[in-house]
Every structure is written in structure tokens, then in C-alpha cells.
Amino acid sequence: MIRKIPVITSAKSFIARLILLLVLQLIMVKGYTQQYLGSGIIPKPVEEIKKQGFFTISANTKIFFSDNQVINLSFLNQYLSDLAQITLFQISKTESNGINFIIDAGSNLEPEGYVLEVFDKKINIKAKDGRGLFYGLQSLIQLIRKKGNQVVVPAYLIKDAPRFAYRGMHLDVARNMFSVETIKKWLDLLAFYKINTFHWHLTDDQGWRIEIKKYPLLQTKSAYRNETLIGHKRANPHVFDGKRYGGYYTQNEIKAIVKYAEQRHITTIPEIEMPGHASAVLAAYPNLGCTGGPYETATYWGVFDDVFCAGNEDTFKFLECVLDEVVTLFPSKYIHIGGDECPKTRWHDCSKCQKRIKDEKLKDEHELQSYFIARMEKYLNSKGKKIIGWDEILEGGLAPDATVMSWRGLDGGIAAAKLNHDVVMTPEKFVYLDYYQSLNKSEQVAAGGYLPLRKVYEYEPMPEALNAEEQKYIKGVQANVWTEYMTDASKEEYMIFPRIIALAEMGWSKKEHKNYPDFLSRLNENLRFLKGIAYSKSFYEVTGESTPDGFILNTDMPDAEIRYSTNGTDPVKSSKLYSSPIKLSETTTLKARLFKGVSSVGKVYEQQIIKNLAFGKAISLKNQGTGNYNVDKDVLINGIQGSPLYNNGEWLGLGGADFEAVVDLGKEIQITEVGINVLNYQWQKMHPPKALIFEVSTDNVNFKEIFSQTKFTLEGINKAVQKIKPVLTRYIRVKASNIGTIPDGFYGAATKAWLMVDEIIVN
């Protein structure tokens, strides 16, 4: 089990952390100046009006609460006294010249909304409920400044309310666990930035993390795996650490975290995975699987064929008994039942499952999954709960009252909203915090994808494809933290912060108020609240882009200069100063670094640019890329190769379709070499082409084949490059045939295969 931490039932722990934040603020902020364009608050308020003057906090400052049942009077008194390192605050029985927390249940303020008004002699925070007062308090904290020896709050009128009702963060503890105290620390920061939902992913193939008293083997067997994969799962061969790993949270620990979150107006939603991601359960209770086992708790990451048997009544009895205990621990109206990545292979071959399909008059295994989810929904409804699940629960028909989390893109959320179902937008491309936030070679290992801070911030959760009535079903947004590659709290914090703060503003602030440079300015001021958090600073790194006009370097760091080199050495202060796109005449490894004054800042940026005859030439496609890989076609001729992690935006991908491109060299020229890269990651549905063909033409009408390849045996990047007899040509046509539907025996069988290509080479 995890290390036992004493459970603090009072507000003492929260007070201590908030005190630390505020003391650090008083120490670090040198003085209030007029440099702030606005209040500096994150998330950005709906309305903020700067006024003249400021309120001074002193030992004589009084606090008034209009409803002491809504806010814990004692911990706010403690909190505010320690804020200014003053031991005595006076509690007023009536609104006074002090800090007033006022509940007005009859006001027209929105739920969670507040009005914060700072005068010379008093501060008023008004709301219609305790949540609004709590969020007004968080904004007040961010306003506090030190002016000389005085603690002051600049005069402001702030009117505020959230854009979305659901603002969440998901945390996977099945792959890697974190202590109760660590989770509490993160909850403090979520609350501080007005995130109101904690989605706790407690079960998966790699471990079961919640104590269920009726099934003790979940604690002694399912909670542990024999070893764990070291390094990235895309590495070949796989290497394991040989160390048993595991543990679980006791029901008392669960209750403590739920209560701790609740005190901070955060709702905790548990996730119990079904019908897939069940390896850990089946290892302890093999009778719940289709084959009867043997099974084992998974030791590496991925999707596994062994799932709960949908034709076995014992499966439903087990899950109902588990949920009986779960619902007593979590007061939230929602229980998350997963529903994602459930292969149908075992069901297809299982006599019990096939009998269920026949008896229930179901069409196929997809409708069997819908039957499974609907049956569990009905049971949870009988317990006064509603279900929420990943967008795969749409397959085969959506359960009557289910809420959908749209993770595979926007389509699931759009489809659910059009069916009048509530939706939480959580598309992996924009809000998966296990994705890389930097493409620097020294970056810590992450799951994949590339999700810098700017991309999180600029994501718009409201799909344009929905009309005004349908948009009402989009309830909010959530960032997901999957922990395959987050082995300790420091790595976790590096991946979460500050990207979750961008998510907080996305979920709270008005769309028209979003402005990334302004957010960065406020974030820079807010970094003082992340003291003790191992947050990433990659949002200030150098980034690059290859264009026909030259290679462009960028940074969001203010008052920094970029120095670069093209000779393979790390840039120094005397290296070339970047001022305009860099023209390159040959294949080059470009390096760049930030400097402030004489000192370098951050990591060295490095990028190889491959110059060849196709570089920057006109290109046309027969089929555009699809999904996350519908990229600008110019990535095929920009000199930058797609990465092995396919996360640098350079791979063009086609789901189920063939690739065909024509490059116009601009004039007839003799060539002696052609090539392109293709990906072979079959466990990710990425299959090499059945055939790759290069053809040449002088008129773009009559083409002649010069090279073909049908075998691509390497896992990962296959470089299909071929020397050819010299030939005079102007047009190069590249054709690659998709295998189409993935055959049986491969992951994703019966679904569309991805064909991934990048960087056409002509010499």
C-alpha cells in the first residue's frame, strides 16, 4: 500500500499552504507599480476596472461573514491573519470597514460568480453561494501587493463568473501512484485557479488502486504488477525493471481526499474502467474474462484484448458490488465508467458473448458494448448516480442519460451534443498533459504528441459545427494526465504545470478575452504561487519553422535575443544574432539559444534541415491528411523529417486512404535519387503501404515508373531512398497504397489503417 499519511480533517493543511503562497508573495513582490495592464488575475475575470487608491491590511483589519455556514470562519481568520504575518484579526458582527464576505442568495449573480470590490477603507466580496465567495477569495489573494512596509490591495471593481460549469483535471494513478499528501498539494493549486472537478482514474490494466472490501484479491493481487516497462514503449526491444510495483488507496484515504477536495469546492469523480482495460481485475478473478485465463496485471502500456466477459452474469454481479462501495465513497452525481479502447476480439470468439448478442437481439459486438454500458448505467441510476464515459460509449448506441467525454477529437462531442447528451471536451490533441511540451532533444520522456502551452491556451472548446441550441450541451473542458511516463511527483508537476493553468483560463474566461501574450504576462507574475512545484519552463524556449523564405526562429520570452549557429556548435554570446529568416543553401544542423545580457537562458534548440531538389517546391495531393495528421502539405517538402514519436507535426497521415503527391521541380532537371519516409507502428494502427511507387514526367501527364518498394520491415521509421539511373524530369509523382482495413490478428482489426508519410527527397 502507499505510505500512510495522517489525515487532517480540519482546514489546517490548507491554511498552511495558502499561508506559504501568500508569505512568498509578500517576500517576492517588491512593490505595486502601474505596470499591470489589468488586475493580473488568472483566470482572467469577466470585467475588471482599476480605481484610484488601495486598501491597507493591518492588525486592526476586521473580517465579516454574512453566513458562517458557507465559509469556514475559523480557517479564513487563520488564513488572513497569517497572510500579513499578523496574529490578531477582529471578527465583525456586521459589515464594516474591513474585509466583508457577503452571501446574497437572491442576487442575480451566476453560480460560482462573485463581485470583488476594493475601496480605500474596505473590501467586499459578494456571491450568491459559498463557491462564489471562495473564488472571489482566490482573486483577492492574487491582487495583494506590498508597498514599502505596508500590505496593500489595489482598488479594483471585479465582476466575474465562469464560462463553463465543468472545469476539470483527470489524474491516472493506475500506472503510477502518488501519495495522499501530494494529491492534496495539487488540489490546492487546482482550487486556486478555479478548477472545480477532479477526475480520479483509479483502475486500469496496470493496477487497481481503490480498496473494495468485498473483493480482497483486488488489494493483494490486482493492485500489483510484477515489473514495469523502462523507457518509451516505442523503443525496440522493450526493457523492464524487474521490480514489483503497486499499492492502493484505503477507503479512509479516499474519503480524506474527497473531503479535502470538497472543502475547496472541487468535486471528485471516480473512474472504474469497464468493459476494457480489465487485465488487473482478471489477474485476480479470471472467471470474469472470456477465456478464463491465466491473466496478469499488465507490465507495459497499451491496449489489451482481454476484457470483461459481457456474456457472463458474474461480471455484472462483480461490477455492481464494486460500485456499491464506490458510490458510498464519492458524493458526486457522476461515476465514470471508462468505456474506451475495448477490443471486441474476445467477444467475437466467446460463446457466452455470442449468446448474449443473440438473446438480446443485438446487431454485433459494438451493440454488445452499448448493452453493457446501458446496463451499468441503469444500475447506477438506481443508486442516484449518472454515468460519464469516454466517447467510445457512442459506439453501438449511446446509453439513455450518459455524459460523453470527447477525447479522440471533436467528433465524439459533436455527435453526442447533437443527440442532446451533455459533453465534456477533452480532445487529446489539445489537452493531454502527458504529451511533450517541448521538442528539445533533452526533454523528459513523454507519451507522444506535442502540446506546448500556447496550444493548450488557444484551444476553443466550443465546436463551431454545433448550433446555438446544441452548444448548450457542451458543459466544459478537462485536461487529462496519464502517468505511464510520470514515475514521481516532480515529473508529474513538470507535465501538469503551468499547462493546467492555461486550461483553467480556457474553462473560466470569456472567449473574446483570451490573449496569449497577456496570459503569459500574468503567468509570469503568478509563477510565485508555484514555489515548491517543479513546473516546466519550456514555454519560453526557442522554436523554429521552415518556410520558403527561410528558417524562422521564435520565442515568447520578453527582452531576450536569439543567437544561432550553423556549424554544429552550441551558440554563445558572440554567435550570430537572429533578426530575419535564415537562408540555407545546403543541408544544415541549425542550433539556437536565448540570451539575456551576457547570460544564456534555457536549452539549446537544434534542428536539421535537409536541402534537396524538392525543398520548397510546389506540391499537390490527391487526398488530404485526416484527423490529427491533416497537416499543411508543405511539411512533405520543408526539409524537416518527421520524428520517431510522430509528434513534431511533420507526418501527413491518411486513415484508410491512399497517398499520392506530385512535386513540381519548376523546370526540367536531371535527378539520381528519390525517397520518402514511412512509419510502421502496427500496434498504433500505423501500417506501411502495400506498395510505394515513384514516377517521373516532363509534362505532368505521361509518367514513367523509376522505383518501387513493397517491403518495410523496420518497426518505426522506414527510409525508402533509392539511387536511380540519371533521368531528366520536372514532375515527381509518389504513390503509396494504404492496406485499408486492418486485418485480423492486428491491433484495431476491422478499422481503418493509418498510412504515415513524410519528407520527399529528390537529388
Side-chain angles (χ1 to χ4, degrees):
M1 288 194 335
I2 62 173
R3 179 172 62 92
K4 290 290 192 301
I5 302 292
V7 176
I8 302 174
T9 56
S10 70
K12 182 179 178 182
S13 179
F14 185 46
I15 296 165
R17 291 198 180 95
L18 291 178
I19 291 168
L20 175 62
L21 289 176
L22 292 164
V23 170
L24 286 169
Q25 180 180 14
L26 297 180
I27 293 172
M28 296 180 66
V29 179
K30 300 302 183 183
Y32 174 70
T33 72
Q34 295 297 323
Q35 66 183 359
Y36 299 99
L37 299 178
S39 66
I41 293 171
I42 299 176
K44 192 173 185 66
V46 171
E47 181 180 353
E48 48 187 14
I49 300 173
K50 179 72 176 72
K51 297 187 174 184
Q52 294 296 316
F54 49 84
F55 176 85
T56 302
I57 299 174
S58 72
N60 296 320
T61 299
K62 295 179 180 180
I63 308 172
F64 166 72
F65 297 92
S66 65
D67 187 346
N68 61 14
Q69 300 301 312
V70 178
I71 281 194
N72 186 313
L73 180 61
S74 62
F75 91 63
L76 276 180
N77 180 43
Q78 177 77 43
Y79 165 69
L80 291 173
S81 64
D82 284 313
L83 159 66
Q85 300 179 35
I86 300 169
T87 56
L88 295 176
F89 270 128
Q90 300 179 33
I91 309 304
S92 174
K93 294 182 179 180
T94 59
E95 186 178 342
S96 63
N97 287 341
I99 303 174
N100 303 296
F101 294 86
I102 304 164
I103 290 285
D104 183 358
S107 74
N108 60 359
L109 289 171
E110 297 179 34
E112 300 184 297
Y114 65 91
V115 174
L116 168 60
E117 194 160 13
V118 182
F119 303 93
D120 289 350
K121 300 298 183 183
K122 67 179 178 179
I123 296 174
N124 288 340
I125 302 177
K126 295 181 180 180
K128 69 188 309 177
D129 57 26
R131 295 176 299 166
L133 286 188
F134 183 78
Y135 293 136
L137 178 62
Q138 310 316 308
S139 294
L140 174 60
I141 294 168
Q142 294 186 42
L143 280 179
I144 294 171
R145 301 286 184 265
K146 193 169 185 181
K147 185 177 182 180
N149 294 324
Q150 293 181 312
V151 177
V152 301
V153 183
Y156 265 97
L157 170 61
I158 294 174
K159 298 178 180 180
D160 206 3
R163 180 185 181 193
F164 292 106
Y166 187 111
R167 307 174 302 280
M169 189 187 87
H170 153 288
L171 177 65
D172 163 28
V173 293
R175 279 55 178 250
N176 281 294
M177 294 185 68
F178 307 94
S179 72
V180 170
E181 197 62 21
T182 295
I183 292 175
K184 287 180 176 181
K185 178 172 71 169
W186 298 338
L187 288 170
D188 286 344
L189 284 166
L190 296 186
F192 187 67
Y193 290 106
K194 305 182 177 75
I195 289 176
N196 65 2
T197 308
F198 174 48
H199 172 181
W200 202 359
H201 186 86
L202 290 162
T203 73
D204 217 296
D205 293 296
Q206 294 79 17
W208 182 279
R209 304 288 176 234
I210 176 172
E211 180 187 18
I212 302 297
K213 297 183 184 296
K214 186 176 180 64
Y215 297 106
L217 290 182
L218 292 175
Q219 285 73 257
T220 59
K221 192 168 181 65
S222 299
Y224 294 88
R225 56 179 179 260
N226 292 330
E227 58 185 358
T228 302
L229 180 69
I230 299 174
H232 207 284
K233 66 180 180 181
R234 295 172 192 169
N236 189 18
H238 286 159
V239 178
F240 297 85
D241 63 8
K243 300 176 182 178
R244 189 169 185 256
Y245 178 89
Y248 62 93
Y249 300 94
T250 68
Q251 292 197 3
N252 283 337
E253 289 170 327
I254 296 280
K255 291 175 183 177
I257 288 177
V258 170
K259 182 176 181 180
Y260 192 85
E262 192 175 47
Q263 290 171 336
R264 287 143 190 81
H265 298 282
I266 294 175
T267 298
T268 303
I269 297 177
E271 180 176 357
I272 308 297
E273 273 279 9
M274 61 184 84
H277 289 293
S279 298
V281 175
L282 299 183
Y285 298 97
N287 62 303
L288 303 180
C290 290
T291 69
Y295 308 103
E296 68 171 356
T297 303
T299 59
Y300 61 102
W301 327 123
V303 178
F304 303 90
D305 284 339
D306 290 309
V307 301
F308 284 116
C309 179
N312 186 351
E313 281 300 305
D314 287 345
T315 293
F316 294 98
K317 180 181 178 181
F318 168 84
L319 289 171
E320 288 169 1
C321 290
V322 166
L323 292 172
D324 285 345
E325 296 191 35
V326 170
V327 297
T328 65
L329 298 171
F330 295 90
S332 69
K333 70 176 181 179
Y334 284 119
I335 302 293
H336 201 297
I337 47 77
D340 62 313
E341 297 178 327
C342 179
K344 311 301 188 293
T345 306
R346 297 288 185 255
W347 289 356
H348 183 270
D349 298 330
C350 174
S351 60
K352 290 182 179 180
C353 289
Q354 292 304 308
K355 184 177 185 301
R356 178 80 72 186
I357 290 174
K358 182 179 179 181
D359 291 347
E360 298 293 335
K361 297 180 174 55
L362 305 175
K363 180 181 178 181
D364 54 20
E365 288 78 18
H366 292 292
E367 287 196 2
L368 180 59
Q369 174 162 323
S370 180
Y371 164 85
F372 194 114
I373 299 299
R375 182 166 170 175
M376 297 313 303
E377 178 187 44
K378 184 177 180 181
Y379 186 77
L380 282 169
N381 288 165
S382 74
K383 301 290 181 179
K385 301 291 186 178
K386 300 177 70 173
I387 69 164
I388 188 168
W390 304 110
D391 55 55
E392 285 96 330
I393 66 174
L394 284 158
E395 297 170 1
L398 192 56
D401 198 30
T403 295
V404 172
M405 280 192 169
S406 187
W407 76 273
R408 293 180 296 179
L410 308 182
D411 291 348
I414 292 169
K418 287 181 177 293
L419 293 171
N420 299 340
H421 282 259
D422 288 345
V423 175
V424 176
M425 298 301 294
T426 178
E428 58 176 330
K429 186 177 180 180
F430 299 102
V431 294
Y432 267 41
L433 304 189
D434 56 332
Y435 277 18
Y436 284 88
Q437 51 196 321
S438 167
L439 295 176
N440 195 287
K441 289 183 177 180
S442 64
E443 187 72 0
Q444 302 178 56
V445 175
Y450 174 48
L451 186 61
L453 180 68
R454 179 189 285 270
K455 190 173 181 179
V456 177
Y457 184 82
E458 294 181 346
Y459 168 58
E460 169 49 44
M462 189 64 75
E464 293 182 356
L466 300 177
N467 61 37
E469 186 62 29
E470 293 163 343
Q471 286 183 351
K472 295 177 182 178
Y473 292 99
I474 305 299
K475 298 303 180 182
V477 66
Q478 175 175 286
N480 293 343
V481 184
W482 301 100
T483 62
E484 288 93 335
Y485 303 100
M486 303 182 200
T487 53
D488 57 56
S490 293
K491 176 68 180 290
E492 183 91 355
E493 291 172 359
Y494 180 85
M495 300 300 284
I496 294 175
F497 301 100
R499 289 187 293 183
I500 193 64
I501 302 175
L503 184 285
E505 180 146 312
M506 180 207 308
W508 181 280
S509 302
K510 286 184 174 294
K511 177 182 177 180
E512 56 268 29
H513 287 173
K514 288 174 65 174
N515 179 290
Y516 186 66
D518 174 62
F519 171 75
L520 274 186
S521 176
R522 287 177 287 121
L523 176 63
N524 191 53
E525 292 297 322
N526 264 256
L527 292 177
R528 65 187 180 272
F529 297 117
L530 298 185
K531 209 68 171 172
I533 297 291
Y535 64 89
S536 170
K537 301 175 183 177
S538 61
F539 54 92
Y540 278 151
E541 288 182 356
V542 176
T543 59
E545 178 185 2
S546 180
T547 74
D549 296 327
F551 200 87
I552 297 173
L553 296 173
N554 292 296
T555 182
D556 286 321
M557 180 175 284
D559 304 321
E561 59 185 24
I562 302 174
R563 299 278 175 172
Y564 72 94
S565 67
T566 56
N567 61 2
T569 63
D570 289 352
V572 294
K573 178 62 178 175
S574 58
S575 297
K576 294 178 182 177
L577 175 66
Y578 175 79
S579 58
S580 60
I582 303 166
K583 302 286 187 180
L584 300 172
S585 59
E586 59 185 3
T587 296
T588 303
T589 297
L590 176 69
K591 292 187 176 184
R593 195 164 197 174
L594 295 174
F595 285 83
K596 280 201 167 186
V598 297
S599 301
S600 62
V601 183
K603 302 173 183 176
V604 174
Y605 170 85
E606 181 177 340
Q607 179 63 62
Q608 184 185 47
I609 300 96
I610 300 173
K611 294 285 288 189
N612 67 93
L613 295 176
F615 180 88
K617 297 300 191 293
I619 184 171
S620 60
L621 298 179
K622 182 177 181 180
N623 296 314
Q624 301 298 316
T626 51
N628 290 344
Y629 308 105
N630 180 20
V631 296
D632 186 337
K633 64 182 184 298
D634 288 342
V635 300
L636 297 167
I637 41 82
N638 67 357
I640 300 178
Q641 298 194 71
S643 71
L645 296 173
Y646 48 90
N647 65 351
N648 63 347
E650 295 293 326
W651 289 100
L652 184 139
L654 300 108
D658 296 335
F659 169 74
E660 184 175 315
V662 176
V663 178
D664 181 359
L665 300 179
K667 62 181 180 179
E668 291 187 11
I669 190 170
Q670 182 173 278
I671 66 171
T672 59
E673 183 182 57
V674 292
I676 194 171
N677 296 336
V678 298
L679 266 184
N680 181 14
Y681 282 126
Q682 295 176 8
W683 51 271
Q684 286 286 79
K685 300 186 181 182
M686 298 175 180
H687 289 251
K690 291 184 291 186
L692 172 68
I693 300 172
F694 279 82
E695 300 171 329
V696 296
S697 172
T698 56
D699 60 6
N700 202 22
V701 176
N702 301 296
F703 283 87
K704 173 186 176 182
E705 182 179 320
I706 57 171
F707 166 54
S708 67
Q709 183 173 328
T710 57
K711 292 184 178 180
F712 305 86
T713 58
L714 293 177
E715 181 177 351
I717 296 177
N718 285 250
K719 296 180 179 294
V721 180
Q722 180 66 39
K723 293 286 186 181
I724 60 173
K725 291 182 180 180
V727 60
L728 189 67
T729 188
R730 173 173 173 174
Y731 300 96
I732 312 291
R733 183 161 70 186
V734 189
K735 298 190 294 186
S737 52
N738 196 311
I739 69 166
T741 301
I742 298 173
D744 290 343
F746 293 89
Y747 170 61
T751 63
K752 293 178 180 179
W754 283 98
L755 174 61
M756 307 286 290
V757 296
D758 180 50
E759 212 51 38
I760 297 172
I761 302 294
V762 180
N763 287 308

